[in-house]
Amino acid sequence: MKVLVINSGSSSLKYQLYDMTTEAVLAKGLVERIGMDSSILTHKPTGKESVTEVSEILEHNMAIRKVLDKLTDKVCGVLESIEEIDAIGHRVVHGGETFKQSALVDGDAKHEIRKLIDLAPLHNPAAMMGINASEANMPGVPQVVVFDTAFHQTMPEKSYLYPIPRVLYNKYKVRRYGAHGTSHAYVSEKAAEYLGKPIESLKIITCHIGNGASLTAVDGGISVDTSMGMTPLEGLMMGTRSGDLDPAIVPFVMNKEDLTVNEVNSMLNKHSGLLAISGTSSDMRDITDGMQAGEPNATLAFEMYEYRLRKYVGAYAAAMNGVDVIVFTAGIGENSIIVREKVCENLTYLGVELDKSLNAIRSDDPRRISTENSKVEVLVIPTNEELMIARDTFRIVSEQ
Ligand code: AMP
């Protein structure tokens, strides 16, 4: 079965085509700047030359058409015809309480995703555009939706409720949902597989730290707590997001600076985090370069980032009454030797012992970076959300 995985943003569309017999990626690519002048399509067929094409791509329907043209192109294509695509899997950010797992797309599913737009006003409409565009261009091909929130639907009430009037939950479903669920699920499963132990026997803390960042406490394979909340703003300090803060700061700043709701939202989501403290960049590479050059603001940004991350690891070890495995993943988790080193250096009380030479090795494979004597296994596992989406799509479509 060949599965096309689509991750549709408001002005972008990422894709990967899988052959599920081997789970090989046949091609992948990205359409950027949809709806703007000079949209860019980058197509990377496995084993062939990549292609970059600049043109005007007005909306998602046209973007999918262009992608299908590339997939079936005589030179850079990997398919004889579109009919070879057996199923399509879509990443959807918010599944609310409705979607506890991935689902086949039908009228009801689309209706429910639309109903959740309130909770993800930027992301769910983009996913709907991808779904509708796929349907228009590949009618009759089954589609599956895979949600970033679904893995965290196992959180108990004590984790997901906020201590605020219950009426807000009853009326508006104000609660914690978490995010990056597909990634946390993938790396926790992969960690158990790597260690050769049943996931049911493990207490795992997964650290998905990229531009956005979240930690999850995975107890026996089940998400029992995660650091993102009703929106992806809660929790860790991130590239441009504040993470946790005293909620009273919001009305205080709005009042003092005469800010609107949108302005304060933008401040906390786009102008905070590493960017705000360093004053220069949201990218961890720039922050660590700055720190190594003795730049005080970059150093402070790094220290705050690491400190807040480490506090969450401690909190989740407490939440599960222990931890067997800590997994680092995503852009920073997979690549930043110094972030991993500084976090682990301060977790010796848990029995963590980092092997600095293993930590310094760069590789795309899952690997252990703790010593043999470490009481906690520390692993680096490259995430693969697309493969997880392809697997769910394959499973659900095969069951039909
Ligand atoms: P992601 O959102 O998972 O793609 O992660 C993107 C982030 O990973 C970037 O903003 C960088 O801060 C970080 N990153 C990528 N490569 C490195 C690296 N070699 N060292 C430190 N951070 C990195």
Side-chain angles (χ1 to χ4, degrees):
M1 183 187 284
K2 293 198 175 77
V3 173
L4 181 62
V5 173
I6 291 178
N7 182 352
S8 178
S10 53
S11 65
S12 69
L13 189 142
K14 285 188 207 150
Y15 62 94
Q16 280 200 28
L17 181 68
Y18 281 89
D19 181 343
M20 293 312 290
T21 29
T22 53
E23 294 190 338
V25 176
L26 302 177
K28 61 181 172 183
L30 165 69
V31 187
E32 295 166 276
R33 299 174 52 86
I34 298 173
M36 301 178 211
D37 286 347
S38 2
S39 310
I40 307 162
L41 189 161
T42 313
H43 175 70
K44 297 182 178 171
T46 306
K48 292 185 179 183
E49 284 278 300
S50 296
V51 188
T52 303
E53 197 176 274
V54 179
S55 63
E56 203 167 311
I57 301 181
L58 299 177
E59 31 71 62
H60 287 67
N61 215 340
M62 208 164 152
I64 295 263
R65 234 173 13 247
K66 291 263 184 196
V67 169
L68 295 176
D69 284 349
K70 287 285 164 279
L71 288 172
T72 52
D73 186 90
K74 286 224 157 48
V75 181
C76 65
V78 291
L79 300 173
E80 291 286 318
S81 93
I82 300 173
E83 270 82 66
E84 284 177 57
I85 299 173
D86 300 294
I88 306 157
H90 294 273
R91 174 188 180 219
V92 184
V93 165
H94 221 302
E97 289 185 331
T98 317
F99 294 99
K100 301 200 185 304
Q101 51 210 335
S102 306
L104 198 68
V105 175
D106 56 14
D108 286 350
K110 288 209 276 188
H111 177 69
E112 291 300 331
I113 296 169
R114 263 191 229 104
K115 271 180 27 192
L116 293 166
I117 284 178
D118 233 13
L119 292 174
L122 295 178
H123 295 104
N124 276 22
M128 278 309 302
M129 286 195 274
I131 294 167
N132 289 333
S134 304
E135 204 169 73
N137 288 286
M138 290 168 276
V141 178
Q143 303 193 64
V144 168
V145 272
V146 180
F147 300 90
D148 268 15
T149 48
F151 182 59
H152 303 303
Q153 277 297 300
T154 47
M155 283 194 289
E157 261 184 333
K158 66 181 175 194
S159 305
Y160 75 67
L161 280 184
Y162 290 109
I164 55 176
R166 198 64 184 256
V167 63
L168 295 170
Y169 171 65
N170 296 338
K171 269 172 95 172
Y172 307 115
K173 293 287 171 211
V174 173
R175 53 158 282 180
R176 309 182 62 252
Y177 294 95
H180 300 138
T182 313
S183 175
H184 289 292
Y186 176 81
V187 298
S188 54
E189 278 174 27
K190 198 86 189 163
E193 186 188 311
Y194 178 87
L195 296 169
K197 292 185 178 163
I199 198 164
E200 293 74 21
S201 70
L202 295 173
K203 295 175 188 209
I204 307 175
I205 297 174
T206 47
C207 311
H208 176 111
I209 45 176
N211 253 331
S214 65
L215 251 70
T216 297
V218 184
D219 196 349
I222 282 170
S223 168
V224 293
D225 206 348
T226 193
S227 61
M228 281 181 170
M230 172 157 141
T231 77
L233 185 56
E234 191 180 333
L236 301 169
M237 176 172 167
M238 303 176 221
T240 61
R241 285 174 242 169
S242 63
D244 295 338
L245 44 77
D246 180 346
I249 292 170
V250 174
F252 179 87
V253 172
M254 285 176 82
N255 190 26
K256 290 281 182 197
E257 293 283 315
D258 206 12
L259 296 183
T260 63
V261 170
N262 281 345
E263 284 165 342
V264 81
N265 232 337
S266 162
M267 177 190 92
L268 296 173
N269 278 288
K270 297 190 180 142
H271 306 284
S272 296
L274 290 174
L275 177 63
I277 302 299
S278 70
T280 51
S281 175
S282 61
D283 191 309
M284 186 52 84
R285 284 165 288 203
D286 299 332
I287 302 297
T288 45
D289 286 352
M291 182 168 70
Q292 268 139 20
E295 221 296 308
N297 291 335
T299 306
L300 178 61
F302 181 90
E303 285 176 357
M304 285 175 67
Y305 185 93
E306 181 276 323
Y307 179 64
R308 286 176 164 244
L309 171 54
R310 174 164 35 108
K311 283 205 297 185
Y312 258 102
V313 174
Y316 285 175
M320 294 190 287
N321 190 19
V323 52
D324 302 308
V325 190
I326 296 172
V327 181
F328 287 98
T329 194
I332 297 172
E334 290 168 33
N335 295 300
S336 179
I337 294 164
I338 189 157
V339 167
R340 295 194 302 253
E341 181 182 316
K342 292 294 169 198
V343 169
C344 291
E345 224 171 53
N346 289 296
L347 294 175
T348 46
Y349 76 100
L350 286 175
V352 169
E353 217 179 273
L354 185 75
D355 183 321
K356 284 194 181 180
S357 53
L358 290 180
N359 186 40
I361 296 171
R362 292 195 181 277
S363 158
D364 289 334
D365 295 324
R367 58 202 183 273
R368 180 189 277 110
I369 56 169
S370 47
T371 64
E372 286 197 355
N373 292 330
S374 181
K375 290 202 183 83
V376 181
E377 303 271 9
V378 186
L379 307 179
V380 178
I381 300 191
T383 193
N384 197 340
E385 289 158 284
E386 290 79 12
L387 177 59
M388 202 70 179
I389 295 171
R391 282 180 181 166
D392 265 17
T393 304
F394 174 67
R395 179 179 51 79
I396 289 174
V397 171
S398 305
E399 282 165 8
Q400 296 308 304

